[in-house]
Amino acid sequence: MNQDNVELVVKGYRAFLAGDFERLVEMLDPEVQWNGIDVGPFDPGDRGEVMHVLAERFSDGFRIELERAIGVGDQVVVSFRAAGVERDPADDRPLQTRRYFTVGRYFAVVTINEGRVVRVEDYPHLTAALEAVGLDASEHT
């Protein structure tokens, strides 16, 4: 079953990149829980707020690169890197030089039930996410 869950997470990642929010809504349980480090916990059943945060992140225009999706039972450990365009705030020229830079890395455990995401738990680093599902971090880093 964990391969099906990994595939669901990868499909969600692709839907996000494509801006396919209708598909994302279908993948989220109506009572999805998200315990985020930088966004705080959401009340169960607040799928609309989760979608709002995802829409904001999509509109930021970051390049998102999925690095890992490791299935363990009904959970999937994910890690990805987010990069964006850095602009010089002191330079008001419309065509100033731009470059990609790493914004940050993201780690989470996604719990799947009956083909839908029911919970997302953010972690500060990959080791913590791996340990949360009972994996030895030294074997996966």
Side-chain angles (χ1 to χ4, degrees):
M1 183 58 136
N2 62 13
Q3 186 58 36
D4 291 340
N5 293 338
V6 169
E7 289 175 14
L8 179 73
V9 167
V10 171
K11 285 178 186 176
Y13 163 73
R14 289 181 179 148
F16 176 80
L17 291 180
D20 188 351
F21 292 100
E22 289 180 26
R23 177 129 171 109
L24 287 172
V25 166
E26 294 171 1
M27 301 173 102
L28 296 176
D29 186 89
E31 297 185 16
V32 64
Q33 296 178 8
W34 181 4
N35 294 316
I37 291 173
D38 62 340
V39 293
F42 296 108
D43 293 328
D46 200 352
R47 180 169 53 184
E49 183 64 22
V50 170
M51 292 305 300
H52 176 74
V53 170
L54 291 175
E56 280 184 348
R57 290 183 177 171
F58 179 79
S59 69
D60 287 339
F62 293 134
R63 181 177 66 202
I64 307 295
E65 298 173 3
L66 182 65
E67 295 177 317
R68 293 174 192 233
I70 304 168
V72 179
D74 65 349
Q75 297 178 308
V76 180
V77 175
V78 296
S79 71
F80 64 79
R81 180 184 319 250
V85 176
E86 181 179 24
R87 294 188 62 152
D88 181 355
D91 186 348
D92 60 355
R93 295 177 297 164
L95 299 176
Q96 65 176 280
T97 303
R98 296 174 178 93
R99 64 182 175 90
Y100 275 97
F101 66 104
T102 298
V103 174
R105 299 188 71 189
Y106 175 81
F107 311 97
V109 174
V110 179
T111 304
I112 311 292
N113 185 21
E114 297 181 11
R116 286 193 163 176
V117 174
V118 295
R119 182 177 176 85
V120 178
E121 183 81 31
D122 292 353
Y123 288 88
H125 47 77
L126 181 59
T127 300
L130 291 168
E131 290 174 352
V133 298
L135 293 178
D136 182 354
S138 67
E139 295 177 13
H140 296 278
T141 54

